[in-house]
Amino acid sequence: MNGYTDGVQKTISEKSMNKGLDYTAIGKVDPNNRDSIIDALNDYFTTELDGEDMAQVVRSLQDDGYYTLEYPDDVQELELDGDDLGYREDWYSVVDSLSEGGIYLICDTGKEVLGARMGVAGEHMGSVSVWVDTFNQTVTGWGETLPLSDNDCEEINEILNDTY
């Protein structure tokens, strides 16, 4: 297994089975140290936090475990879980990023989406070597088939039903 997409399927599966495909880690922080949280946020985001009241962001993260960032075209949910700081992406963005190589929908006779096969990554332009399959709840690539979480597959299928 050598190539540009080597290991992509393993990364996707691990992400799905751990915190979910919509979760992006920012880093480890000291949850009781305000400056640790602010430093991690400032290191990760460049302009996204402009205009945010950082005291309110940190207070909400420490008290509630989350803070919602709202933009004109997007919403991101910051999350503090123990010492893990990260954010949740909008599921439409997740589906868009997982389907750059195309989408094949699996529908019932009523045209409800039961699952999809989405081309995630390829070795060459126009080729796909890593596939996410929400019908079988797997990700495949380089002859390896790995699991996806039930929740992620349900979320993706729901978005595809809304979209198509």
Side-chain angles (χ1 to χ4, degrees), residues 101-130:
I103 300 176
Y104 298 92
L105 299 175
I106 301 164
C107 301
D108 64 11
T109 55
K111 297 185 181 178
E112 182 176 335
V113 175
L114 302 174
R117 186 166 157 84
M118 300 183 296
V120 178
E123 288 298 310
H124 306 286
M125 193 157 231
S127 73
V128 176
S129 55
V130 178

Side-chain angles (χ1 to χ4, degrees), residues 57-134:
V57 172
V58 172
R59 189 172 28 259
S60 180
L61 285 168
Q62 288 177 324
D63 293 346
D64 305 325
Y66 66 91
Y67 182 83
T68 302
L69 296 171
E70 295 185 31
Y71 309 108
D73 297 332
D74 193 15
V75 174
Q76 291 178 335
E77 183 94 3
L78 292 173
E79 213 175 80
L80 181 61
D81 182 14
D83 63 351
D84 292 325
L85 179 63
Y87 67 91
R88 298 254 172 218
E89 287 186 80
D90 178 279
W91 276 101
Y92 287 96
S93 299
V94 174
V95 169
D96 189 47
S97 69
L98 290 174
S99 62
E100 292 180 0
I103 300 176
Y104 298 92
L105 299 175
I106 301 164
C107 301
D108 64 11
T109 55
K111 297 185 181 178
E112 182 176 335
V113 175
L114 302 174
R117 186 166 157 84
M118 300 183 296
V120 178
E123 288 298 310
H124 306 286
M125 193 157 231
S127 73
V128 176
S129 55
V130 178
W131 293 91
V132 163
D133 183 336
T134 64

Side-chain angles (χ1 to χ4, degrees), residues 4-161:
Y4 173 72
T5 60
D6 186 22
V8 170
Q9 70 280 0
K10 183 177 181 188
T11 301
I12 291 171
S13 178
E14 287 174 354
K15 187 173 180 180
S16 177
M17 299 307 284
N18 289 322
K19 296 231 181 205
L21 292 173
D22 63 328
Y23 183 81
T24 299
I26 292 173
K28 298 281 188 189
V29 296
D30 177 350
N32 300 313
N33 183 327
R34 178 183 185 278
D35 291 336
S36 172
I37 296 169
I38 290 172
D39 289 346
L41 290 171
N42 285 332
D43 287 347
Y44 192 84
F45 294 106
T46 53
T47 60
E48 288 88 343
L49 295 175
D50 286 351
E52 294 291 332
D53 179 355
M54 288 304 280
Q56 176 59 37
V57 172
V58 172
R59 189 172 28 259
S60 180
L61 285 168
Q62 288 177 324
D63 293 346
D64 305 325
Y66 66 91
Y67 182 83
T68 302
L69 296 171
E70 295 185 31
Y71 309 108
D73 297 332
D74 193 15
V75 174
Q76 291 178 335
E77 183 94 3
L78 292 173
E79 213 175 80
L80 181 61
D81 182 14
D83 63 351
D84 292 325
L85 179 63
Y87 67 91
R88 298 254 172 218
E89 287 186 80
D90 178 279
W91 276 101
Y92 287 96
S93 299
V94 174
V95 169
D96 189 47
S97 69
L98 290 174
S99 62
E100 292 180 0
I103 300 176
Y104 298 92
L105 299 175
I106 301 164
C107 301
D108 64 11
T109 55
K111 297 185 181 178
E112 182 176 335
V113 175
L114 302 174
R117 186 166 157 84
M118 300 183 296
V120 178
E123 288 298 310
H124 306 286
M125 193 157 231
S127 73
V128 176
S129 55
V130 178
W131 293 91
V132 163
D133 183 336
T134 64
F135 184 76
N136 294 309
Q137 297 181 327
T138 60
V139 57
T140 58
W142 292 96
E144 186 174 32
T145 301
L146 300 169
L148 294 173
S149 73
D150 293 344
N151 184 61
D152 283 355
C153 291
E154 288 170 14
E155 291 287 348
I156 291 169
N157 290 343
E158 190 174 307
I159 293 300
L160 293 172
N161 265 312

